[in-house]
Amino acid sequence: EETLELSGLGAEPPDDAVRRLVSAADVSSHFYSREALEDGLLLDLGPFMEADPNFDAADFQPGTLEYFQSAGGTWAVPSDTNYQLIYFNKDLFDAAGLDYPETGWSWDEFVDTAKALTVREGEETTQWGFAEVSPNPSAFVESRGNLLYDMSSDPPTADIDNDQMAEWMRRYTDLYLTHEVAPYFPDTEEEGSGLDIPEGYLLIEQGQAAMWPEVSGSFPFRKQQANIGVVPFPADAPNVANNLLFPGGLSISVGTANPEAAWRWVDFLSRQNSDLMSIFGSRASLPARSSVAGATNFWDEVDEELAPVLEFAVDHAYTSGAPTGGRDAVFDAFAAIVEGEKSVEEALVDAQIAAEEAIAESLVEDESAEEIVVEPGEAEKPVSEDAVTVEFVAVTGALEMQTFRDLADLFSGENPDMVVEIKQPNFFEGTPDIKDIAAEADCFQWFPGNFNDVENQDALLNLDPFLDADSTIEEGDFYPAVLDAFTAQGQLWGLPGQINITLIEYNKDLFDAAGIPYPTNDWTTEEFLTAAVALSQGEAETRTYGFVPDLFEPSDMLNMMDRLGAKLIDDSEDPPALALDSPETIEAVRWYTGLTTEHDVKPILMTSLTSPAVTAVQERQALLDEGRAAMWTNSAFNVVLGEAADRDYSTGAVPLPAGSGAALGSGYQSATGYFISADTEARETCWQWLKFLSEQPNAGIGLPSRVAVAESSEFQDEVGDQLAGAYLASMENASQPPIAQLISDQYSWLNYPIFWLYGAYDQILNGDLGVDDALVNAQQLVDEYRDCVIAAEAYNDDEVQKDCMLQTDETLPAFIFGPE
C-alpha cells in the first residue's frame, strides 16, 4: 500500500504497479504475474536451483514448481498451495433431505444436486443450488482436462475453439440458462467507491447458496461462520486432474543488486510454515514443500473433514495459465452466451480470435518495452559510529508506517547518536499482548492494558523516574482522562500517544434543504434527537435516515451511554461489577434503542457479533454514498473502510452530543501509548524517542495527548480548523477513561460479559424483549459469570474467564468463547 500510494481499501492500483513493486524490493510474494513476466521484471531462478546442492525439485507438491515455469525459466519458488474445491451448506442439504456430496461424484450428480437445492417462490429464486462470487468458465472447462492455453510454448498458444471446449462451455452455461440453478449478475462496469461487494458473495454469506467454489485455504474461516462441508470438483473419470492449483510463490526482482542473498532468503522462506489460517484454530494452506508439511505436522493439524479432500486435490491437481487478456476473452464469451448475444460456437470463435490478438499484442509490447529501471533510494544520512539503535514496534496500518519512518529519520537527524528502526507487530501466531510486544522490541506503541497485572508490570519500565528527571516534559501537559488509562497504583506505565475520538459527521446539504441549523460543538442529546427526527424522510429503499450508526451498532451505543451518564461499572463493590440493570443504564439504553424502535431515525446494521458483516458494510456505504444519511459516526475504523471517499455533498463534523448536567463522559473512545520494555539496554534512547513522538502533531490518526500539541497551530494546520475544534471540544470536560477502554484494560475480566449487553441490544431491536427485561436477564448472566471468576480468582486468566462464560451461557458462539 505504501509503495503504490493506495489511499484505502478498494483503491485502484496505478498502471505501473508491478514496476513500482519490483523497484521497491528485492524479494516479494506479490511480484509474480503474467504482466511481470511479459515485461521482463523477474529474475530467472533456474540457475540458482541448479547450483544449489540442497535444492530438491521433487520436494514440492505436484504441479507447484511447474506453475512458475515458462519461457525456459523458473520465476518463483513455491511457498504454499491452495486448491479450488466445492464448498456446500450442510444446513440446506439437511433441510432438503439430501446426502452430502462425496469425492468422486460426477457432473450429472452435481447438476441434479444443484437442481434439488434450488428453491423458487413464484418467479423469485430464494435459494440457489450453485453460486459463484464471479463466474469462472475457465475453471469448469479446464477441470474436464481441456486447457485453454499452452503456456509452455513461446509465445503461448490458445486452444479455445474446439468441440470439447464447446461441449463443456455449453454444459457450464446450461447451469445459468437451461437448469437455472446459478444466478448471473452482469458486469455493470459502474464506478464505485471501491467497496462494492459481489452479489454472489452476499448469497453465500446469507445462506442462500447451497454450493459454491472456493479455495481450500479459507475453510477454517468459513467453518467458524457456518455449518459447511467441502468436496472436490465433480469428475467423470477417476484419474482426471480436476482441482485447480493456486500456489503462492516468492520471486526476486530482476533489478536486485544482491541476487545471491535474495536467493538464500527466498529458499529459507520456502521452508517455513506460512499458514495464516492457523489463527482460526486449524491449518488449511498446504506448505509447498512436502518436507515442510511433515516437519510442521500439517496433516495432523488440518481439519479432519478437509484432510481427505485436500489429499485428493493434491493427487488430482492441475495448473492453468493465460496470457494477459486471455482470461477476458473466455469470460467475454461466457457473458455473450448467457446474455443471448451469441451461440456457444460463435462466442468461442470470437474468443479464439481475441486470445490470439492479446498474445500478439503482448509480443509487440515486449519488443517496445523499456528496460526496467530500479529507482535508487535516498542515501542514508551519516550517523555516529557510537550511535545507539533501538527497535520500535508501531501498532498501525501500513498506510501510517511511513509516517513513523519519516519521524524516525527526523529524530536521528536531530540526534545523530540515536537510531530508531520501525517494525510492525508479529500477528502470524495470533494476537499479541503487551508482554509479547515488550519481548520483541526496545520500545513500542500499544494500547492500555491491565497494569495491575504483575506480569505486565514486569514486562515494562515504570516511566515516573523518567518524568521526574526530565524538566522538558510535565505530567500536567497530558489530558487527565487519558493519563489515567496508562496509570495503575499511582505509577505511570505508558506515555499517552494518540487519542481516537468518534465524531458525528453530517450532510450539510440535507440540513440546508430542511432549514435546520448545523449542529454545534456544544450540542446536546436532545438537540441531536430533534434534528434526527426532522431529517428522517421517505420510505423503504429510498428512505433518508437522520442518523446512521457505526457498522457494529453496540459500539456506538456504548459511546452514547457514556455521554448520557450511564455508569456501567460499579466500583463500589469489591471486585467491581457491571451494572446493566441500573436505572441510569436502563434509561440510556432505552434512549439509544428508541432511535430505531420509537423514532425510526436509524437503520439496523450489525446488532451483534454474529450479525452478517458484509451486508452491513454494503448497506451503510450505500446510505452514505447516495446522500441518504443526514448524520453518522466517523471513527478511525470507518475511515479505514473508505468512508472518506469523495461524495457529492458538503460535510461537517462535531463531537458526540452530551447529556444534561454532568453527563459528559470521557470524551474519547480509545487511545494508544508509548512503552519501554523492561529488558531494553537502551532506556534513555527509548525515552527520548517516546518524548519526541509525544511532541508531534502528526504521529497518527486522532488527537495528540499533550494539550499543548493538541491546541497548537501545527495540529490545526494538519487536520483543519473544523476537525481540530470538534476534537478539542470532545475533550473539554473529559474526566475518565471510556467504558470500552476500562473493560479492556483496568477491568479486563469484565470485557467478556459485555457480550450479554450486546445480546440484550439485539433482542430489543428485533422485538424479542423490552428494554427492562432484556437488561435484567443480561444482568443475571453477568452476575453468574462474576461469581465464577471470583471463585476461581481468575481476574487475569483469559482461559478460565472463557470457561466461566460458557458455563454461564452454553449458547455463546464457539468462535468467540470456545477453545483456541
Side-chain angles (χ1 to χ4, degrees), residues 85-93 100-101 105 210-215 219 222-223 226-232 303 305-306 309:
L85 306 171
I86 297 293
Y87 286 31
F88 58 91
N89 186 320
K90 289 183 176 180
D91 291 341
L92 299 186
F93 273 75
Y100 301 150
W105 61 329
M211 300 183 289
W212 64 93
E214 192 160 349
V215 295
F219 188 75
R222 280 290 187 195
K223 195 169 184 178
N227 183 22
I228 66 164
V230 64
V231 70
D303 182 273
E305 186 173 2
L306 176 63
V309 177

Side-chain angles (χ1 to χ4, degrees), residues 331-372:
F331 181 83
D332 289 346
F334 162 77
I337 298 167
V338 175
E339 293 174 12
E341 298 175 356
K342 300 175 184 177
S343 68
V344 170
E345 289 74 15
E346 291 171 337
L348 295 186
V349 168
D350 290 346
Q352 179 74 32
I353 295 172
E356 292 173 352
E357 289 176 349
I359 294 171
E361 183 177 343
S362 68
L363 294 176
V364 173
E365 290 177 353
D366 283 349
E367 293 174 359
S368 62
E370 299 177 6
E371 183 178 354
I372 181 172

Side-chain angles (χ1 to χ4, degrees), residues 578-600:
L578 285 181
L580 303 188
D581 62 350
S582 69
E584 296 82 5
T585 299
I586 290 175
E587 186 57 33
V589 172
R590 178 175 288 111
W591 183 91
Y592 188 78
T593 55
L595 297 177
T596 301
T597 59
E598 182 180 351
H599 304 292
D600 190 25

Side-chain angles (χ1 to χ4, degrees), residues 448-764:
N450 180 6
F451 300 121
N452 292 311
D453 183 349
V454 175
E455 291 186 4
N456 283 340
Q457 292 184 5
D458 290 343
L460 302 173
L461 284 183
N462 175 4
L463 300 187
D464 287 322
F466 295 95
L467 272 175
D468 294 340
D470 195 328
S471 61
T472 65
I473 182 172
E474 296 183 1
E475 191 173 292
D477 190 28
F478 292 87
Y479 286 104
V482 182
L483 199 67
D484 285 350
F486 296 90
T487 304
Q489 301 170 4
Q491 295 179 313
L492 183 67
W493 297 99
L495 197 66
Q498 295 297 116
I499 309 171
N500 176 34
I501 299 174
T502 294
L503 300 176
I504 296 287
E505 288 198 53
Y506 59 93
N507 184 328
K508 290 184 176 181
D509 293 355
L510 292 181
F511 273 78
D512 291 341
I516 299 174
Y518 301 151
T520 59
N521 285 338
D522 60 351
W523 67 328
T524 65
T525 50
E526 182 179 348
E527 292 170 328
F528 166 84
L529 180 58
T530 299
V533 171
L535 290 161
S536 297
Q537 306 288 337
E539 300 295 334
E541 296 181 356
T542 61
R543 182 168 178 76
T544 295
Y545 288 97
F547 174 61
V548 173
D550 200 352
L551 287 173
F552 183 58
E553 295 187 34
S555 65
D556 268 357
M557 180 181 68
L558 281 181
N559 296 336
M560 292 295 247
M561 288 173 66
D562 191 22
R563 301 288 276 180
L564 286 163
K567 191 177 180 183
L568 265 183
I569 297 176
D570 181 2
D571 53 11
S572 66
E573 295 193 44
D574 186 22
L578 285 181
L580 303 188
D581 62 350
S582 69
E584 296 82 5
T585 299
I586 290 175
E587 186 57 33
V589 172
R590 178 175 288 111
W591 183 91
Y592 188 78
T593 55
L595 297 177
T596 301
T597 59
E598 182 180 351
H599 304 292
D600 190 25
V601 300
K602 59 174 279 297
I604 296 178
L605 300 175
M606 284 182 65
T607 58
S608 74
L609 292 175
T610 56
S611 300
V614 175
T615 51
V617 170
Q618 190 177 50
E619 181 179 355
R620 190 176 195 273
Q621 181 190 329
L623 288 170
L624 269 65
D625 288 348
E626 296 168 9
R628 294 192 290 120
M631 298 182 287
W632 61 94
T633 50
N634 196 353
S635 65
F637 177 61
N638 292 331
V639 171
V640 171
L641 285 176
E643 289 190 359
D646 292 336
R647 299 195 174 94
D648 295 331
Y649 52 82
S650 301
T651 62
V654 289
L656 294 176
S660 59
L664 296 170
S666 62
Y668 72 101
Q669 281 60 58
S670 64
T672 57
Y674 307 124
F675 302 86
I676 301 178
S677 169
D679 294 333
T680 183
E681 297 179 358
R683 299 183 176 194
E684 184 59 31
T685 299
C686 272
W687 170 251
Q688 294 300 327
W689 165 241
L690 301 194
K691 185 178 69 167
F692 172 82
L693 285 177
S694 75
E695 297 166 348
Q696 308 308 309
N698 63 336
I701 297 174
L703 183 73
S705 291
R706 292 183 71 164
V707 178
V709 180
E711 294 179 349
S712 68
S713 59
E714 288 82 5
F715 178 69
Q716 290 185 10
D717 292 341
E718 185 75 25
V719 301
D721 292 343
Q722 184 174 200
L723 278 180
Y727 283 143
L728 292 172
S730 294
M731 296 299 295
E732 276 183 8
N733 298 287
S735 58
Q736 63 182 20
I739 294 171
Q741 190 156 293
L742 285 171
I743 61 176
S744 65
D745 47 68
Q746 186 175 350
Y747 305 117
S748 59
W749 65 285
L750 294 177
N751 192 23
Y752 283 137
I754 206 71
F755 180 86
W756 287 309
L757 174 62
Y758 301 161
Y761 179 80
D762 186 57
Q763 291 172 329
I764 296 165

Side-chain angles (χ1 to χ4, degrees), residues 33-257:
S33 68
R34 177 51 46 183
E35 179 185 355
L37 292 180
E38 292 175 352
D39 288 350
L41 303 180
L42 305 183
L43 190 66
D44 181 8
L45 305 185
F48 295 96
M49 296 176 181
E50 294 173 4
D52 189 340
N54 296 317
F55 187 84
D56 181 10
D59 187 31
F60 292 90
Q61 307 293 349
T64 54
L65 192 59
E66 292 82 354
Y67 179 87
F68 297 109
Q69 292 176 331
S70 63
T74 303
W75 309 105
V77 174
S79 55
D80 59 271
T81 63
N82 278 279
Y83 302 83
Q84 190 167 51
L85 306 171
I86 297 293
Y87 286 31
F88 58 91
N89 186 320
K90 289 183 176 180
D91 291 341
L92 299 186
F93 273 75
D94 293 343
L98 294 179
D99 293 333
Y100 301 150
E102 297 180 351
T103 298
W105 61 329
S106 68
W107 176 266
D108 288 341
E109 290 172 323
F110 165 71
V111 173
D112 289 343
T113 302
K115 288 180 180 179
L117 289 164
T118 300
V119 178
R120 296 182 176 86
E121 294 180 4
E123 296 183 358
E124 180 184 2
T125 301
T126 58
Q127 177 180 303
W128 295 93
F130 177 71
E132 296 180 273
V133 173
S134 178
N136 188 358
S138 299
F140 275 85
V141 171
E142 292 187 323
S143 69
R144 327 314 303 171
N146 309 307
L147 292 183
L148 300 169
Y149 296 94
D150 181 358
M151 301 302 293
S152 64
S153 63
D154 190 12
T157 55
D159 187 18
I160 300 174
D161 181 21
N162 59 67
D163 292 342
Q164 283 187 319
M165 175 67 175
E167 177 188 353
W168 283 103
M169 179 62 94
R170 182 173 289 106
R171 291 197 185 192
Y172 176 69
T173 54
D174 278 349
L175 297 174
Y176 294 84
L177 298 174
T178 304
H179 308 308
E180 296 182 337
V181 298
Y184 174 66
F185 304 108
D187 185 1
T188 60
E189 297 184 353
E190 293 180 357
E191 292 188 5
S193 60
L195 277 175
D196 293 330
I197 299 167
E199 294 181 73
Y201 187 93
L202 294 175
L203 290 174
I204 294 168
E205 187 188 66
Q206 294 165 355
Q208 294 176 273
M211 300 183 289
W212 64 93
E214 192 160 349
V215 295
S216 53
S218 61
F219 188 75
F221 172 71
R222 280 290 187 195
K223 195 169 184 178
Q224 295 281 15
Q225 292 183 311
N227 183 22
I228 66 164
V230 64
V231 70
F233 263 53
D236 293 312
N239 297 320
V240 66
N242 63 331
N243 293 276
L244 182 58
L245 168 65
F246 292 98
L250 298 151
S251 299
I252 300 177
S253 167
V254 73
T256 182

